[in-house]
Amino acid sequence: MNLPENKMSVLKRIGIPIVEHCNLKCKGCLHFCNSNQEEFYYDCEEFERDVMRLSELFDNIEVLILYGGEPLLHPKIIRLLEIVRVYLKKTKIEILTNGLLLPTLDENFYQSIKKYDVCIGWSAYPVGKKINMKIEDTLISEKVVYYKNDVQMFYGIFNPLGNSNSYYQWKRCSGRKCHVLRKGYISVCPAPAVEHIINQSFDKQLDFSTSRLNIYDESIDAEKILYFLEQSHDVCKYCTSARTFIWERQSKPKLEDWYGKVGGNE
Ligand code: SF4
Ligand code: SF4
């Protein structure tokens, strides 16, 4: 499968979870970080291999997002930013963070995000007016390019029975463009990349392996990846209509925290 000669292969957006635990344990975290017992930091060499591979596969990647867990917990985040910029010169780089660590970071960090032209995506949770003011003051005084999403509500979409109509769920899903790369595998959304956390935390044996694509497969090319990312997958049968709830912390999670609406699994 080859693209016509004059057609560029463009991946619009890819997220890379560089850390899988978090300093803010949100109930129903879509990345299951509040239930994760283990610390994971994307290894720098593995990260470089994976980003280099993406840069070989695609003519352009428009947006690359480092997220977590809380990505600012990664001790080598500056090195990771440098790697992205070396291989992806035109890509818009974002760090998606809850912001809690921003006031504690040093000049080296703030100089680096300017050097590598990084935008901060701040998810502002209702953690206290003073804390959020301190975060915003830091962003302003450090002259950071940032955007802010105020978060008040969360939602659960998990159908533990896994009997939803995959195509129907995928077609109306707002997260189906949030593609993820984790340890050499790419997936339509974060769900296939957190299978191991769900299984460890809740003693499950979910298998989302058919919903991930190995970017090192010899027969893979950009068009095959883009086609794969534009399809519903087996994992989508574990999604259902969203059940919304007010954001709160939850350090003793139950799988029910993630459940979606009963009867939303057409
Ligand atoms: S801040 Fe984000 S990553 Fe951390 S627990 Fe909340 S939703 Fe999950
Ligand atoms: S598994 Fe499918 S339906 Fe569920 S969030 Fe991902 S893309 Fe959407």
Side-chain angles (χ1 to χ4, degrees):
M1 221 186 282
N2 287 318
L3 289 162
E5 252 174 43
N6 57 353
K7 199 169 170 203
M8 298 257 290
S9 56
V10 179
L11 180 60
K12 288 195 171 295
R13 172 190 160 115
I14 188 78
I16 306 184
I18 56 170
V19 173
E20 290 182 343
H21 54 287
C22 191
N23 53 354
L24 182 63
K25 295 184 182 300
C26 307
K27 179 179 176 179
C29 166
L30 284 175
H31 312 292
F32 284 80
C33 299
N34 63 324
S35 70
N36 191 9
Q37 306 302 322
E38 291 182 10
E39 295 188 355
F40 164 84
Y41 302 98
Y42 220 118
D43 173 74
C44 284
E45 283 176 22
E46 187 171 21
F47 182 87
E48 181 164 13
R49 269 197 309 279
D50 289 351
V51 171
M52 183 172 71
R53 176 73 176 151
L54 279 187
S55 73
E56 289 164 358
L57 285 162
F58 291 95
D59 294 315
N60 188 21
I61 294 176
E62 289 183 357
V63 183
L64 185 144
I65 303 164
L66 300 184
Y67 74 98
E70 173 46 55
L72 298 178
L73 288 169
H74 199 297
K76 298 196 173 151
I77 189 163
I78 294 174
R79 172 70 187 131
L80 301 183
L81 294 171
E82 182 188 22
I83 290 168
V84 178
R85 193 45 87 213
V86 165
Y87 292 98
L88 301 170
K89 303 225 178 315
K90 294 182 292 179
T91 297
K92 182 177 179 204
I93 307 175
E94 292 183 10
I95 298 174
L96 194 58
T97 172
N98 61 33
L100 295 178
L101 289 172
L102 286 169
T104 70
L105 298 174
D106 61 15
E107 264 317 291
N108 195 17
F109 172 79
Y110 288 106
Q111 280 168 8
S112 300
I113 61 170
K114 279 173 204 125
K115 180 174 172 190
Y116 302 125
D117 197 11
V118 177
C119 170
I120 298 281
W122 173 30
S123 301
Y125 294 92
V127 289
K129 212 172 167 185
K130 272 191 182 164
I131 296 174
N132 281 335
M133 273 173 62
K134 201 169 173 192
I135 294 171
E136 193 141 34
D137 284 350
T138 304
L139 288 164
I140 292 167
S141 64
E142 295 290 349
K143 299 188 174 54
V144 173
V145 177
Y146 76 99
Y147 63 86
K148 175 183 176 188
N149 287 326
D150 280 307
V151 182
Q152 302 289 337
M153 303 295 293
F154 253 44
Y155 60 94
I157 53 171
F158 187 57
N159 167 14
L161 300 175
N163 60 358
S164 299
N165 178 315
S166 302
Y167 179 75
Y168 176 76
Q169 295 301 327
W170 170 82
K171 192 70 189 159
R172 63 180 190 162
C173 173
S174 60
R176 70 189 162 116
K177 305 281 182 197
C178 300
H179 310 320
V180 169
L181 176 76
R182 181 184 187 273
K183 293 172 83 61
Y185 285 84
I186 201 163
S187 55
V188 61
C189 74
V194 295
E195 166 207 281
H196 61 293
I197 304 180
I198 305 173
N199 286 343
Q200 277 165 21
S201 304
F202 301 107
D203 200 20
K204 296 279 173 196
Q205 291 187 331
L206 299 175
D207 181 359
F208 299 151
S209 53
T210 59
S211 304
R212 298 186 289 262
L213 195 65
N214 184 348
I215 60 170
Y216 294 99
D217 192 297
E218 277 180 14
S219 65
I220 216 71
D221 59 26
E223 193 172 0
K224 281 182 187 162
I225 294 176
L226 294 173
Y227 180 79
F228 182 85
L229 296 176
E230 282 302 316
Q231 310 295 314
S232 63
H233 290 280
D234 214 33
V235 63
C236 302
K237 69 187 186 191
Y238 286 90
C239 283
T240 185
S241 304
R243 173 187 59 85
T244 52
F245 54 91
I246 294 172
W247 177 87
E248 62 177 315
R249 289 186 170 102
Q250 169 64 291
S251 52
K252 288 188 181 154
K254 306 179 291 295
L255 194 54
E256 288 83 345
D257 298 339
W258 281 268
Y259 286 7
K261 243 185 205 164
V262 177
N265 59 332
E266 295 86 343

